[in-house]
Structure formats: C-alpha cells, structure tokens
Amino acid sequence: MSDLGHVLVLAGGLSYEREVSLRSGRRVSEVLRAAGIDVETRDTDASLVPSILADPPDAVFVTLHGGAGEDGAIRSVLELLGVPYVGADPDACRVAFDKPTAKAVVRSVGLHTPQSVTLPKETFHDLGATVVLGRIVERLGLPLFVKPAQGGSALGASIVRTAEELPAAMVGCFAYGDTALIERYVEGVEVAVSVVDLGHGPVALPPVEIVPDEGVYDYAARYTAGHTEFFAPARLAPEIAAACAETAVTAHTALGLRDVSRTDLIVDASGQPYFLEVNVAPGMTETSLLPMAAEAAGQDLGDLCRILLTQAASRARS
C-alpha cells in the first residue's frame, strides 16, 4: 500500500489529442490502483477547480496531451491551487511545447537537430506561398518534414518528397496549428528515449525503436495496435544507444524539465542522433513508448508512477 492519501489523474481536455489522453488516463489510473493507491480520474471541465478546493489531492498526475496539458496552462492553475503535480513546471512546459524554441535551446547546448524554417500562416500567405515554398525547397532541399510548431501525435505532420507535395502538406499542417515547422527530413532509425528522475537525477530508460508498417509514424500508426513494430530496447550498437540516452538526458536538463519526459530522435546512417522534439506528458496507452521503455528496464509502471507522485507530494511539503 502507498502512504499517499489520494491522487488525481487528469485526462481528456479539449485538444485534438483528447481520445489519446483519456486512454493514457485510464492506463495510469489502473496501474496506480493496482499499486494500492486511491485514485480519482477527472476531466478538465468547470467542476475541476471546485472539486480540488473541496478535497485537495496529495498529488496530481497529468495525462493531458497537447494544448493546455503540455503548454503549462493547467499546471499554472494547479500551482495557483497549491496542488503538487508530476512533471515540468509551467515555464519549462511553454519552452518545450513550442518545437522551434525547444530546437533552439538544445542546439545551444550542442545537440544536433535538423535544419528548419518556422512559418506562421499569416507570413506564408502575405509574402506569397509559391515564392516562399520555392525558397524553402531551394534552401533545405528534399525530402522535408512538415509539422505544426505545437502539438503532438503527428497530427498535421507529413513527409514531403517532391516540391509538388509541399503546398498540400502546408495546408494539412495549418489545419492543426497556425505555425508550421518545416525541417530537412533525416533518413534513419526512429527512436524514442524516455527520461525519468526517481530522486537521483534524470536517467534515460532503454531507447525504443519505431518501425511503422507504412513507413510513417502517423496518428494511426501510433495508436492502432499492430500498425507499428516496436523494439525495446532498440536494435542499436551500444555506443549509439548510449549517445541517444545522453541526447535525451541533455535535452531534458537543458529545457529545465522535471520528473519525466520523452525525447524523439532520428539516428542517421552514421549513427548520429538528431533531436526532433520533446514531450513533457508522454503517452501512457497500451501502444505508448514510455511504458514499453519501463518494461524493458524491468521497471513496474505502477511503481514508477507511484514514486513520481510521492516525489511531487514531497516537494510540496518541503
């Protein structure tokens, strides 16, 4: 049994990733109950704040993906309420959630990240789409990868292999956000490295290799069982796996993250890891990468979540 009185798991929200968040919340709630913890699961609606004020939890586990769950907004409200929570504080979330900003931070500490251009929709239209897109192809080359500057689950993201595909990719991207991040596409092995801090500093869990059936790790490939093959640990040479782990821990530290994060990487043919983005509220579903990494490390997921919640509660008491 746990010495935590009761904990709150936040899941749902109103982002495009609501359904994934609900699945993550269910999984976390299940493993915590199995670990002997009194768990309440709630959505982020108008009843949330009165509920917390009436019966403050010992700690909150945030499984909200995208939007308010990862941009620091909900965590700011939790801080106003004086409720401890697992994960990065609002300021660090805001930096990590914006992919171009996160790329700039990790580049400043020596990590490799694909060359890119960031374009708000207004700039794209005002300056003339055809001319701007032509310069992007000329400057970055092909293939490219287009994705919203904020958000996750590969929504609005696509690979562009010819110049003719770029306009449609931009339109698809802008359907999910007002700013597009256009990166030079790096061919290689896709790897996710989860980082946890269980009280002795951030440590990387075994890297997970991602091999989607259709070659693209899109929304369906992420959340539909059987659409992607995973290898945990990744099929990497020991020195390359170590470089991936070091990259993820360096990104976690440079971005000021706390407790848990997941860094997405591409390892090119030479074995060089490239930072793509970081997630401050990693998915916890049956097909999510952090639970796979924890299992590969021999770490019980319920025990890991319990330790993180206990740490959060301890921070508040101290």
Side-chain angles (χ1 to χ4, degrees):
M1 299 296 289
S2 170
D3 57 359
L4 290 165
H6 84 283
V7 303
L8 178 63
V9 174
L10 290 182
L14 295 177
S15 80
Y16 294 115
E17 299 171 74
R18 173 178 173 80
E19 291 305 316
V20 179
S21 173
L22 290 170
R23 289 169 57 185
S24 286
R26 282 195 297 270
R27 180 87 184 278
V28 170
S29 297
E30 288 169 1
V31 298
L32 287 173
R33 289 192 183 99
I37 296 174
D38 176 21
V39 181
E40 178 186 9
T41 307
R42 295 193 66 91
D43 208 330
T44 54
D45 54 28
S47 68
L48 178 62
V49 171
S51 172
I52 290 176
L53 291 173
D55 185 17
D58 289 325
V60 175
F61 204 109
V62 180
T63 61
L64 300 165
H65 305 317
E70 296 183 68
D71 67 2
I74 288 294
R75 297 169 199 233
S76 293
V77 173
L78 293 175
E79 294 205 348
L80 287 172
L81 297 173
V83 177
Y85 55 89
V86 171
D89 67 23
D91 288 342
C93 285
R94 280 186 282 273
V95 173
F97 186 62
D98 187 75
K99 296 180 182 71
T101 303
K103 281 166 63 75
V105 171
V106 302
R107 189 183 295 112
S108 74
V109 295
L111 298 184
H112 292 260
T113 186
Q115 187 178 357
S116 63
V117 172
T118 303
L119 277 181
K121 181 163 55 178
E122 293 80 3
T123 302
F124 175 70
H125 288 301
D126 292 349
L127 297 184
T130 301
V131 174
V132 173
L133 293 183
R135 287 295 295 170
I136 289 173
V137 172
E138 183 179 333
R139 180 68 180 271
L140 298 183
L142 291 166
L144 298 168
F145 196 81
V146 179
K147 58 187 175 183
Q150 299 181 341
S153 293
L155 293 167
S158 58
I159 297 175
V160 173
R161 298 195 180 277
T162 68
E164 290 73 24
E165 295 173 349
L166 187 52
M170 297 294 288
V171 171
C173 176
F174 288 137
Y176 289 93
D178 291 334
T179 301
L181 173 62
I182 306 104
E183 292 181 315
R184 176 178 291 164
Y185 181 69
V186 178
E187 300 277 1
V189 179
E190 191 161 359
V191 174
V193 183
S194 298
V195 173
V196 295
D197 186 345
L198 302 181
H200 305 287
V203 175
L205 297 178
V208 178
E209 180 182 348
I210 303 155
V211 186
D213 289 347
E214 301 298 324
V216 180
Y217 194 42
D218 58 13
Y219 186 90
R222 288 167 188 252
Y223 301 114
T224 306
H227 280 216
T228 299
E229 191 172 8
F230 300 98
F231 296 89
R235 300 170 298 176
L236 299 172
E239 65 275 13
I240 296 176
C244 291
E246 182 180 1
T247 297
V249 171
T250 299
H252 180 98
T253 303
L255 291 163
L257 305 183
R258 183 175 67 185
D259 295 337
V260 62
S261 69
R262 191 198 72 234
T263 292
D264 297 336
L265 307 168
I266 288 285
V267 181
D268 72 7
S270 73
Q272 175 64 57
Y274 282 80
F275 172 94
L276 299 179
E277 58 191 76
V278 69
N279 193 308
V280 300
M284 302 293 276
T285 74
E286 295 77 6
T287 58
S288 292
L289 304 168
L290 188 149
M292 292 182 198
E295 182 178 356
Q299 174 75 59
D300 178 77
L301 184 61
D303 192 45
L304 186 151
C305 293
R306 177 189 59 79
I307 294 171
L308 293 173
L309 284 161
T310 301
Q311 285 184 168
S314 298
R315 276 198 298 266
R317 287 194 292 269
S318 62

